Amino acid sequence: MLDLKEILSHIPFIGQKRVGLALGSGAARGLAHLGVLNVLKQAGVEIEFVSGASIGAFVGAFLCAGKIDRLVRFARSLTSWDSLKFVDFMIPKNGLIEGKRIEKFMRDHLGDTRIEDLEVPFACVTADYYTGAEVILREGDLVDAVRASISIPGIFKPVPINGLLLVDGGVVNPVPVGVVRELGADYIIAVDISPSIANITISKGMDKFGPEDLALLSQTGYGRRNADYSPNIFEVILGSISIMEASIKTMRLKSEKPDIIIRPDIFDVGLFEFHKYRLGVSRGEEAAKGVLNKIDRFVKRRERALIKAS
């Protein structure tokens, strides 16, 4: 008996779904995004639209510009000391880190690319500091847009764009599923790299979040909870933001349901531990492989590519 799905899957643009990828926020846990991308590429899944918030926007920009290999090579070579080289402290005014060094890194690799000229349609999620409104950047300077999306409030200096003062997109839309759908995707794969509290609120509900869950968050996300440990200012700010983001994300994912959601077990990578490349990538690969058999056979696929990120 003929398998209609199998037949249609070999006919371009007929009966095939256009895949969108929503890459979530989570600082250094974004290393898992690289592992997820590696597995999807090996499986031949063709990604035609990308949205990203914070580190998701950072990775998404390189992906859509066709320069993800450059990011992989750089991330693979990072040491803990190299990570600190990108921290350019400023006299505290509207942030602790100016962000010029990370901006230079992006400019060196992405140049003056404009979002509307990217090989793959891309939407960068940010938030307007003054109104709290979600701001989606689909045109304009790519580096400026990503620099805005990674501007964690209180840590990175906000970025003025088009008369707005923009901050981290994760504070309004941690996993931008609806955004990539608006780009034109009809099959959406979301990657959620948020800390443990996010999974707790999804399974238990925010009203059932208790002291034991806060202890878990401290142990897995922002430090080792013991008598000798006290979180630093970065951990306090990021931890507080993540608690807020978890509630926002839970509500948004209920109304903006992706077709596939990938949740890497990445909670033992600290938010600034960008040097943990192999661990982050391997966790992303493991999580992505776990859902491959659930991906719709109708999604568009390229010939399988055996390119290893790790």
Side-chain angles (χ1 to χ4, degrees), residues 36-52:
V36 170
L37 291 175
N38 183 50
V39 170
L40 293 178
K41 186 170 186 176
Q42 289 184 48
V45 175
E46 184 172 348
I47 298 168
E48 298 191 63
F49 307 94
V50 177
S51 65

Side-chain angles (χ1 to χ4, degrees), residues 50 57 60-61 64-65 110 112-126 136-147 161-162 183:
V50 177
C64 293
L110 299 173
D112 297 322
T113 303
R114 295 185 64 80
I115 298 173
E116 60 268 31
D117 296 331
L118 290 169
E119 298 176 11
V120 178
F122 175 62
C124 186
V125 181
T126 67
I136 311 300
L137 300 176
R138 296 179 55 178
E139 59 182 23
D141 186 85
L142 178 62
V143 171
D144 286 347
V146 175
R147 172 64 184 82
I161 295 179
N162 300 330
L183 284 177

Side-chain angles (χ1 to χ4, degrees), residues 205-225:
M206 200 64 176
D207 59 326
K208 298 179 181 178
F209 181 74
E212 72 283 2
D213 299 318
L214 186 58
L216 176 62
L217 176 63
S218 296
Q219 292 165 357
T220 59
Y222 304 98
R224 291 78 187 162
R225 183 171 178 149

Side-chain angles (χ1 to χ4, degrees), residues 89-96:
F89 289 105
M90 57 184 285
I91 298 175
K93 181 180 179 182
N94 50 14
L96 297 174

Side-chain angles (χ1 to χ4, degrees), residues 160-171:
I161 295 179
N162 300 330
L164 303 174
L165 190 62
L166 302 179
V167 297
D168 194 319
V171 302

Side-chain angles (χ1 to χ4, degrees), residues 104-115:
K104 182 181 184 303
F105 168 79
M106 290 190 287
R107 191 70 67 185
D108 288 344
H109 291 279
L110 299 173
D112 297 322
T113 303
R114 295 185 64 80
I115 298 173

Side-chain angles (χ1 to χ4, degrees), residues 55-90:
I55 192 65
F58 186 88
V59 174
F62 279 84
L63 174 64
C64 293
K67 297 179 179 180
I68 195 67
D69 289 345
R70 294 190 184 186
L71 182 58
V72 167
R73 287 195 296 271
F74 170 76
R76 184 189 291 138
S77 68
L78 272 180
T79 65
S80 56
W81 173 246
D82 290 329
S83 299
L84 293 175
K85 292 179 182 178
F86 285 91
V87 178
D88 48 348
F89 289 105
M90 57 184 285

